[in-house]
Every structure is written in structure tokens, then in C-alpha cells.
Amino acid sequence: MKLFSVKKAWSSGVRVGALELGGNFPAIETPALLISTRKGLPHFIPPDLLPSLPSPDSRLLQVSPLHFLEGLSPATIAKIGGIHKLVGLNEYGIAAVARDSIHSLPECKGATKFGPTFETPCGRLLIKPKDYVEMISCLRPNIWATLADEVPAWVTDKRNRTSVDRTLRWLDDCLALNPGVGSVFGAVVGGPSLDERKRCAEEVAKRNVAGYWIGGFGLGEAIDERPALLHAIVDVLPDEKPRMICGLGLPEEILQGIAAGIDLFDSTYIYTLTLGGFALTFSLDKNGNQDNFQSNQMGGDCTKTNLRATAYRKDMTPILGDCTCHTCQNYTKAYINHLYNVHEMLAQTLLE
């Protein structure tokens, strides 16, 4: 079965498609969001509330294998039957990426020729391709990305070239160690250099991979530099394979990625807003245009509602009056404000 198909594409680079994971998994229309998880489950959404999210838009979860270096071991997960069996979400697709932008952040200073390093809740970890592929074979995700040596925008040209060489070598190592599970996405890096980005993309495109994972973004480059970097990569990648990216989190950054032809995105934006107590509402006119960007007295614009604010302590209205979601149908701003004030996790659950 073909993993990915392009339904429509525009000359500007924008495209819509469908990701087919097979089995019990519904086709996922792209561009799509990868829902961030902690050990396979979304941060604040319990499994019984997952079906209340729009489907199949919410059917793709992202997990970092590094999360399982504490607690339950990958070998034990393999005996259980893989991560789908572990978390009881057999109808959800799972994409495994070493970096998750929340708990497992790339750390270029400790990287060596043997593997990349990450800052994790377990401390700084060096991950070798052999160990990484072993974790993948135990977890059995639907999609997994190869290791990458991600570097920030301020490193030297020499260090940037080295990161590309290492990433390509680790890609070959991962392919040679073939865990025999899931669809492999080859990692593309290159920092702020157009030439290195292009070189890496050209080399990865020569390998036998099912798709592409684009890394090295959100590490110090300017937002106005990204379109050129993204197009340098996408222009040399084949159209028939999906493209996934990490490090673009803000809505305007996601739109930059969509404009360049990226298909799958991770984002820490909702997670960060939820921790801060902000609700997002988007009022659209009859033509589908957003019409509530006016500033308000609570700080920010009218797309964000700060539910920690004392103004909502006695507000018995829902976040959005005509919304049909579980939270708006059953709870008020005053109750969510109370939950935040007493540090009750149900506040994050309802808001996310």
C-alpha cells in the first residue's frame, strides 16, 4: 500500500494529501498536526477524551523513544506488544522521533561521531544508532525518523558540515540495522546554510526511505530566513513522499511550512498556552477569514483568553458560546479559573 498521495498541489509549493497507515487507521489528511505525547499519551488529554477531538485530524501521535529510558524499559514494551498495546490506542498512528521539542531537546555540544546527545529529564544522553534502532524495534511505531545531529544557527560552517556528514552516516547505519517495523523517514539537517540544506536533502533523497524528517529548525534562525531554507530542501525532495518537520511551533511558522510544501508538523504552542492558562478562539466570517485580531484589556488579542485573570472569577459563561466541544458544553470560565487557582490538573485537561 502506498504511504502517501498528493491530492492537489499549487505552483507556490502548497499541497494537500493523504497519509495512509493501513490496518485500522483512518487516512489522515495533510497538512496535519502531530499531537505531542509523554510516553505515548497526550500531556493533558486522557484516553477517554481523545475520541472527542476532531477525527481523523487527531489520529497521529508523536512519541520520543528517549522517554522510555526511565521507568518501563523498551524490552518490556516489546513483550507487551509494542507501544500501541501499552497505551491502548490501537486506532491511533504513532510517529517516533528522538527529539520532541518539550522533554528531549537536541544538545550539539555533546554530540560525537558515535551519536547525537539530548537534554532529557534523565540528564544529558548520548544515543547511538544501534541503541536507537533497538528502541524502535521494541516500540513498533507506524513511522520513525532517523537520528540527526541538529546544530543551532550560530555554529561555524565547519561544524555545520560535520552535522550533515554525521546525519547521513547515522541514516545509513539505521537503514543497515533495519528494525523491520514502521516507515522510516530520513533526517535532513544543514543549519542556516542553503548549500548544506540542499546537499543533505539531495543525499537523503537517494536513500531508500518512505519519507523525510526535517530537523534543525527552532534553534536560533530568524523567522524570515526560514522560507528560503525550507524551499532549498523541498525543491530537491521527490513529491510522492511525505515531509515531516520539528521546531516550527507558532501559527505563522506553521503557515510558512505549509507554504513550502511540508505535510506533518509538531508544535509546542498549544502545550505552552495551556500551561499558561490561555484559551484560543478564532472567530471566522462567512468567507472563512479571521475577524477578531483586535486587542483587548486582558492582554494580547481577542484570539487568546487568559483564564487565570481575576475578571473571570465569577464569569458563568463558556469560553465560546456556540462551541460544541466538551469543555464549552459543560464548564464555565469561572470554574476553569478556579481550577487554575487551586492548581488542579483538570484545568489543563479541559483547556487543551
Side-chain angles (χ1 to χ4, degrees):
M1 184 189 69
K2 190 175 181 181
L3 176 66
F4 181 75
S5 58
V6 177
K7 301 298 184 182
K8 187 174 182 180
W10 288 262
S11 58
S12 61
V14 178
R15 65 185 194 169
V16 294
L19 191 69
E20 298 279 356
L21 299 178
N24 297 324
F25 305 102
I28 297 170
E29 295 182 356
T30 62
L33 171 71
L34 293 158
I35 296 181
S36 297
T37 71
R38 175 73 168 148
K39 296 187 177 181
L41 291 173
H43 292 278
F44 302 122
I45 304 176
D48 59 319
L49 286 183
L50 268 177
S52 69
L53 298 180
S55 182
D57 298 337
S58 61
R59 292 284 170 165
L60 194 58
L61 309 178
Q62 179 178 326
V63 63
S64 169
L66 277 60
H67 292 173
F68 297 96
L69 294 178
E70 58 175 354
L72 205 62
S73 70
T76 302
I77 297 173
K79 293 178 182 178
I80 292 173
I83 190 169
H84 290 89
K85 292 286 186 181
L86 175 70
V87 299
L89 297 175
N90 294 315
E91 296 182 357
Y92 286 76
I94 293 180
V97 181
R99 168 192 176 179
D100 73 350
S101 300
I102 297 176
H103 299 290
S104 301
L105 301 172
E107 172 49 63
C108 75
K109 292 181 180 179
T112 71
K113 63 181 180 181
F114 300 109
T117 58
F118 299 88
E119 292 289 352
T120 76
C122 302
R124 184 179 294 183
L125 300 175
L126 173 69
I127 305 297
K128 299 178 181 179
K130 181 179 179 181
D131 298 330
Y132 180 68
V133 170
E134 184 177 343
M135 287 188 277
I136 293 296
S137 65
C138 293
L139 297 178
R140 304 175 194 172
N142 303 95
I143 293 170
W144 61 280
T146 58
L147 292 173
D149 185 13
E150 298 183 82
V151 296
W154 53 82
V155 298
T156 63
D157 292 341
K158 180 180 179 181
R159 178 66 181 88
N160 194 30
R161 288 193 298 272
T162 299
S163 75
V164 173
D165 294 337
R166 286 175 177 173
T167 298
L168 293 173
R169 184 164 63 250
W170 298 337
L171 168 59
D172 292 333
D173 290 343
C174 288
L175 293 176
L177 292 166
N178 186 11
V181 298
S183 300
V184 58
F185 279 40
V188 178
V189 295
S193 169
L194 292 173
D195 291 337
E196 289 303 311
R197 286 280 181 184
K198 184 177 180 181
R199 176 170 77 92
C200 190
E202 288 174 341
E203 288 298 321
V204 175
K206 297 175 183 177
R207 270 68 169 181
N208 183 25
V209 295
Y212 305 99
W213 179 82
I214 301 170
F217 283 99
L219 298 176
E221 77 283 356
I223 190 170
D224 56 357
E225 295 175 342
R226 290 196 188 123
L229 293 170
L230 289 170
H231 282 289
I233 298 166
V234 170
D235 288 348
V236 299
L237 295 178
D239 293 333
E240 68 274 10
K241 294 181 180 180
R243 306 149 183 169
M244 179 166 59
I245 195 167
C246 281
L248 304 185
L250 298 175
E252 53 267 38
E253 293 176 323
I254 299 296
L255 291 174
Q256 279 187 337
I258 291 173
I262 307 298
D263 306 300
L264 301 169
F265 300 82
D266 82 338
S267 175
T268 62
Y269 187 63
I270 296 298
Y271 173 82
T272 304
L273 286 180
T274 301
L275 284 181
F278 286 92
L280 278 177
T281 57
F282 296 94
S283 176
L284 305 178
D285 62 23
K286 63 181 181 180
N287 296 318
N289 298 313
Q290 191 170 334
D291 60 4
N292 63 334
F293 269 125
Q294 302 85 8
S295 61
N296 61 26
Q297 299 299 317
M298 302 296 179
D301 56 53
C302 292
T303 64
K304 300 183 187 72
T305 303
N306 181 7
L307 292 173
R308 290 180 183 269
T310 56
Y312 299 114
R313 188 166 293 173
K314 298 181 179 180
D315 191 330
M316 301 305 292
T317 63
I319 295 174
L320 196 61
D322 57 353
C323 179
T324 59
C325 81
H326 175 79
T327 300
C328 288
Q329 287 290 306
N330 296 281
Y331 301 97
T332 64
K333 295 173 189 167
Y335 183 59
I336 298 174
N337 175 273
H338 162 72
L339 293 174
Y340 270 103
N341 287 336
V342 298
H343 308 288
E344 170 58 56
M345 199 185 79
L346 180 59
Q348 284 93 356
T349 299
L350 296 178
L351 195 51
E352 175 128 334

